[in-house]
Amino acid sequence: EVQLVQSGAEVKKPGESLKISCKGSGYSFTSYWIGWVRQMPGKGLEWMGIIYPGDSDIRYSPSFQGQVTISADKSISTAYLQWSSLKASDTAMYYCARLPGGAYSGFDYWGQGTLVTVSS
Amino acid sequence: QTVVTQEPSFSVSPGGTVTLTCGLSSGSVSTSYYPTWYQQTPGQAPRTLIYSTNTRSSGVPDRFSGSILGNKAALTITGAQADDESDYYCVLYMGSGISVFGGGTSLTVL
């Protein structure tokens, strides 16, 4: 059974760094793109970027380029989303999801989400 | 940046049929955009309904269907049920590995 399990909720202060995770299981982790999606409180879904763990090819939405870093550790089947200096506007739910085909394909399996709260 | 457009809200009667659309601020949607549709209920992770224009995801009932209608991608729900009341999002592939979500449609079944 394909599963994506995300790390738990985080409460951080502005300026702090953060790295959240998404562990894949039940499939060949290195053979599928993994993506990240943001949902700010009461708002819609936003496509942030994707990574191919097999060769660490990464594609960022222009809206998120330079704002976050996507990475993966294929030895432990885990993808990451990180911030070097959080802002209050980073407060959101973040989902990881798998792409079943190429980078063009939509997501099929989703993680449960990680709530990030940034507040002083 | 190209904007993906969706109706902000829509209403359908129980048992009725509704078609939600997904367009571009500039240009027409084709199968080359690999339209994908997601359903999200409050407090839940999204659920994939349709990918690559018209392929239903595993376990999705056949009353959900995807197509290209004119210059937009479309999601049609036939025989709407109360638990179809959700937010629906489309995603279009823009090339170079980048996709963009539409703003979402809030569907009311009443």
Side-chain angles (χ1 to χ4, degrees):
Chain A
E1 178 196 8
V2 174
Q3 283 193 312
L4 296 172
V5 178
Q6 298 185 230
S7 49
E10 301 274 0
V11 179
K12 291 289 191 178
K13 290 182 167 44
E16 291 185 332
S17 62
L18 176 64
K19 192 174 190 177
I20 62 175
S21 65
C22 169
K23 183 173 177 59
S25 62
Y27 71 100
S28 175
F29 184 76
T30 55
S31 300
Y32 294 82
W33 291 84
I34 288 269
W36 289 95
V37 175
R38 182 176 79 174
Q39 188 166 38
M40 299 175 75
K43 302 298 185 183
L45 303 173
E46 299 174 90
W47 197 96
M48 300 178 72
I50 56 175
I51 184 168
Y52 189 76
D55 61 6
S56 290
D57 187 0
I58 304 171
R59 312 294 173 92
Y60 290 100
S61 163
S63 299
F64 291 94
Q65 178 85 48
Q67 307 305 308
V68 296
T69 301
I70 294 171
S71 61
D73 184 340
K74 58 187 179 184
S75 70
I76 55 171
S77 302
T78 300
Y80 301 98
L81 179 66
Q82 69 180 89
W83 297 259
S84 59
S85 180
L86 287 160
K87 302 184 281 286
S89 57
D90 293 317
T91 295
M93 181 70 82
Y94 293 88
Y95 295 100
C96 67
R98 188 188 79 159
L99 289 82
Y104 58 84
S105 66
F107 301 119
D108 59 355
Y109 289 91
W110 292 74
Q112 82 276 20
T114 295
L115 180 62
V116 174
T117 303
V118 183
S119 174
S120 54
Chain B
Q1 187 176 351
T2 302
V3 175
V4 177
T5 61
Q6 296 185 248
E7 300 87 357
S9 62
F10 229 113
S11 182
V12 62
S13 299
T17 296
V18 62
T19 296
L20 311 182
T21 68
C22 176
L24 289 168
S25 56
S26 178
S28 300
V29 177
S30 68
T31 56
S32 299
Y33 284 86
Y34 298 94
T36 304
W37 292 90
Y38 305 98
Q39 177 192 50
Q40 188 184 35
T41 52
Q44 300 294 315
R47 170 198 183 196
T48 304
L49 295 176
I50 302 286
Y51 61 93
S52 294
T53 305
N54 55 14
T55 303
R56 268 185 298 277
S57 190
S58 177
V60 174
D62 60 7
R63 54 198 187 77
F64 291 92
S65 62
S67 63
I68 299 292
L69 285 182
N71 62 350
K72 296 182 179 182
L75 173 71
T76 300
I77 307 172
T78 58
Q81 301 178 359
D83 60 5
D84 294 334
E85 188 161 295
S86 302
D87 294 326
Y88 292 84
Y89 296 91
C90 71
V91 170
L92 299 179
Y93 178 66
M94 299 300 179
S96 300
I98 307 299
S99 294
V100 178
F101 274 97
T105 297
S106 177
L107 180 67
T108 301
V109 180
L110 54 76

